[in-house]
Amino acid sequence: MMISQMNQSQLLHWIDMVSFAVVEITEYLDTHPDDEEALKYFNHYADLRRTALRAYAQNYTPLTIDTANPDNYWRWASDPWPWEGGDC
């Protein structure tokens, strides 16, 4: 399913999955920094994560400061979080 076809709950779940992959491969790369296949895997999932976070920020609310509106960075902290009874 394409990100543009996901509802809020599905997109949040996708962000969780790709974030898990990024964290796990980062830990592997800490001990295997020369593994080029692992680095490709990391780059792929890091790109998927960035794309998903941007889509979530654009359609709902930013989950991280780096996806917040640069004209109003600090508003992101006052929007309701998904676990605070949002539309998820």
Side-chain angles (χ1 to χ4, degrees):
M1 177 181 294
M2 300 290 294
I3 285 178
S4 61
Q5 298 171 331
M6 294 180 186
N7 65 32
Q8 186 177 9
S9 180
Q10 291 167 326
L11 185 53
L12 195 56
H13 182 69
W14 176 247
I15 290 168
D16 287 343
M17 290 191 317
V18 295
S19 294
F20 178 83
V22 168
V23 168
E24 291 299 310
I25 197 62
T26 300
E27 291 177 2
Y28 174 81
L29 285 167
D30 284 344
T31 58
H32 300 80
D34 297 325
D35 187 333
E36 292 200 23
E37 285 300 311
L39 189 55
K40 287 179 190 175
Y41 183 93
F42 168 81
N43 287 329
H44 174 73
Y45 280 91
D47 284 343
L48 290 175
R49 183 177 185 276
R50 270 190 298 277
T51 300
L53 284 169
R54 285 184 193 129
Y56 195 92
Q58 181 178 4
N59 292 304
Y60 306 106
T61 190
L63 296 173
T64 60
I65 188 66
D66 57 316
T67 58
N69 179 342
D71 297 328
N72 193 1
Y73 276 119
W74 304 115
R75 187 175 154 256
W76 77 280
S78 64
D79 289 340
W81 293 92
W83 56 86
E84 293 179 324
D87 294 331
C88 287

